[in-house]
Amino acid sequence: VAPEVQVEGAQTKPPFYLGFATAAPQIEGANATDGRGPSIWDTYAAIPGNIDSGDTSAVADDFYHRYLNDIAAMHLLGVKKFRMSLAWPRILPGGDGQVNDKGINFYGRVIEALLVAEIEPHVTLYHWDLPQALQDRFGGWNSDQIVPIFAEYAATAFKAFGDAVVHWTTFNEPWTFCFLGYGQGSGAPGLNDKVQAWNCVHNVLKAHAAAVKQFRALVPNGKISMNLNCDWAQPLTASPPDKAAAERKMEYMLAAFADPIFKGDYPASVKQRISFLPQITAQMAADLKGSVDYFALNHYTSTYVADKEGAIGLQGPCDYSETQVDLAGKLIGAEAESDWLKVTPWGFRLMLNWVNDRYQPKEIIVTENGMSMKGEDAMPMPQALQDTQRVNFYRDYIAAATEAVTIDKVPMTGYFAWSLLDNFEWGSGYKKRFGVVHVDFTTQQRYYKASAKYLVTLFKCTLLDPTFTYPSD
Ligand code: GBH
């Protein structure tokens, strides 16, 4: 049974800063503009049946052309941090070789505008949009040929933007793109191969180390990390086997990446089960040591986990099963629009403590947290802007994180809400809305939701004029 939630302190300013998170392929659109090359997500989205309603990211929020408005809006909200990603296929349309100056110029203009607006950019190098050419040439993340090529892309970005950007991450959620993209086929490149999925994990770790080596030379005063996602695994029962199973589930999902970085090897539970797991050599462990300056955590939800011998999970052979209901059939938390997301703020506090206990990072920045509100897309306007369920989600998750910081002494310093704008939600297309700003995908008009006003008021960014509306063209 889920622990009772104590929601306290929601009215006082939280002890960490607020930012909003986005990703290039979900907001930019302009996929064929100014020399951008095709990405594996363009290819994947073009296959009928892969994306709900046949949606594509061709237009998305048209951020490529509207970034000034969106940055101005954040400035007026008083928001001081913005997480964005660079589209590799804009900067190197073929993956390596010729740099596309127009791509560099675009991100130069975005970063410049953010700085003028007194907003600090946090930049992710890779949010899933691999140049298609690299998938075609050698199978993308399945091959270690990717390692020097990613490092070259990273160095190009560090040289161009290292003076202006302090906070970087190499990869967003490698768990997601390796296991869903290569292992299960529910994301690009749409492959269904467990061996490739674990090769992906291994090559991502090597590519991270190679990129950070460039970073230390090129951006000596910067901070870098890898965005790792993990759901909290709540033991289905209080039995020791279920507790141990829940622990193993988090080892598979989070420690598979964080242990190599912080401890130099894959977790024993993973090594034992995955017979085809590549080995971390002494050299690779040495290269990974000290390769993150802060822990970047994406967290949304919790599941129940039970001991189960011989189970087959997303990552191949495993020894636990997962459910969203307890033994009495009760859901772990209220439903969101996304099936995988149940509202479990108590799990956030436990997750933060788990990360802190296992790794003792100097600093934790939560780089994504948010929700798709149940039924939102079907609601008429302007009622849809009263996103009470999302306001309550933020209130309760932020209160839980506040307790982790003030009571448990977890060194969490920053909190990025996912997301600023409704956007291209991958396989779910545009119908699952995560923004605090509503986007009308026909007119591209933006409207503040109640949650935008709630967050900036809670964090005391600025006092909003109640008549204030979103700047339009
Ligand atoms: C993040 O992933 C992403 O970084 C971001 O781009 C995305 O828009 C945001 O969350 C909201 O989804 O459908 O059962 O196969 C969060 C982690 C991992 C959650 C994959 C959804 C799919 C589960 N995601 N998961 S399922």
Side-chain angles (χ1 to χ4, degrees), residues 88 94-96 130-150 182 191 196 199 203:
W88 186 349
D96 61 359
L130 184 73
Q132 180 65 41
L134 302 181
Q135 188 63 40
D136 295 343
R137 255 161 68 193
F138 48 71
W141 294 107
N142 183 45
S143 166
D144 67 0
Q145 289 184 57
I146 193 98
V147 174
I149 294 177
F150 179 75
Y182 287 82
L191 300 173
Q196 288 205 37
N199 286 343
N203 292 324

Side-chain angles (χ1 to χ4, degrees), residues 205-324:
L205 288 166
K206 282 191 190 169
H208 168 79
V212 174
K213 199 170 182 188
Q214 298 285 339
F215 187 73
R216 299 300 181 213
L218 294 165
V219 195
N221 297 319
K223 293 184 175 193
I224 196 158
S225 188
M226 189 191 293
N227 308 95
L228 298 178
N229 63 305
C230 195
D231 304 335
W232 171 253
Q234 179 66 20
L236 180 64
T237 74
S239 76
D242 282 356
K243 284 184 177 166
E247 193 72 7
R248 291 197 298 275
K249 139 87 200 204
M250 285 185 295
E251 290 178 349
Y252 270 74
M253 194 165 190
L254 183 61
F257 300 91
D259 273 21
I261 292 169
F262 284 88
K263 299 168 185 277
D265 203 0
Y266 292 114
S269 60
V270 172
K271 289 207 286 191
Q272 201 183 324
R273 284 287 164 169
I274 309 298
S275 56
F276 46 87
L277 186 70
Q279 271 199 6
I280 295 184
T281 61
Q283 183 59 55
M284 187 176 162
D287 291 345
L288 284 168
K289 194 161 188 263
S291 68
V292 303
D293 300 313
Y294 60 99
F295 201 107
L297 178 70
N298 292 0
H299 176 78
Y300 290 85
T301 195
S302 306
T303 60
Y304 289 118
V305 171
D307 183 43
K308 190 177 179 199
E309 265 310 306
I312 296 293
L314 256 185
Q315 291 134 304
C318 69
D319 40 20
Y320 59 83
S321 62
E322 276 187 89
T323 64
Q324 294 181 323

Side-chain angles (χ1 to χ4, degrees), residues 111 115 121 157-166 168 215 218-222:
I111 290 167
L115 296 177
F158 298 150
K159 282 178 198 152
F161 311 119
D163 287 346
V165 176
V166 175
W168 294 78
F215 187 73
L218 294 165
V219 195
N221 297 319

Side-chain angles (χ1 to χ4, degrees), residues 349 352-353 356-357 361-362 364 401-412:
R349 179 174 175 183
L352 286 163
N353 273 283
N356 193 37
D357 293 345
K362 286 198 283 285
I364 299 174
T402 297
E403 293 182 340
V405 172
T406 58
I407 299 170
D408 311 331
K409 308 297 176 205
V410 172
M412 171 181 164

Side-chain angles (χ1 to χ4, degrees), residues 23 26 83 127-128 172-173 175-176 180 184 186 229 231 253 298 300 314 338 340 368 418 423-426 434:
Q26 297 179 268
R83 178 171 170 235
H127 203 121
W128 311 354
N172 181 70
E173 298 189 355
W175 180 89
T176 306
L180 302 192
Q184 179 185 258
S186 59
N229 63 305
D231 304 335
M253 194 165 190
N298 292 0
Y300 290 85
L314 256 185
S338 306
W340 54 271
E368 287 182 26
W418 181 273
N423 61 47
F424 178 67
E425 176 57 9
W426 309 111
F434 277 80

Side-chain angles (χ1 to χ4, degrees), residues 67-142:
Y67 66 93
L68 278 178
N69 277 354
D70 291 321
I71 291 169
M74 279 192 288
H75 177 69
L76 294 170
L77 290 172
V79 173
K80 299 289 182 208
K81 315 276 176 182
F82 179 64
R83 178 171 170 235
M84 56 184 274
S85 78
L86 307 180
W88 186 349
R90 273 195 209 289
I91 293 178
L92 288 145
D96 61 359
Q98 189 64 41
V99 173
N100 177 25
D101 290 337
K102 288 182 174 166
I104 298 279
N105 286 345
F106 170 63
Y107 292 112
R109 282 181 281 127
V110 171
I111 290 167
E112 175 74 17
L114 287 164
L115 296 177
V116 167
E118 300 172 289
I119 299 166
E120 190 205 343
H122 284 227
V123 172
T124 297
L125 288 171
Y126 185 82
H127 203 121
W128 311 354
D129 45 356
L130 184 73
Q132 180 65 41
L134 302 181
Q135 188 63 40
D136 295 343
R137 255 161 68 193
F138 48 71
W141 294 107
N142 183 45

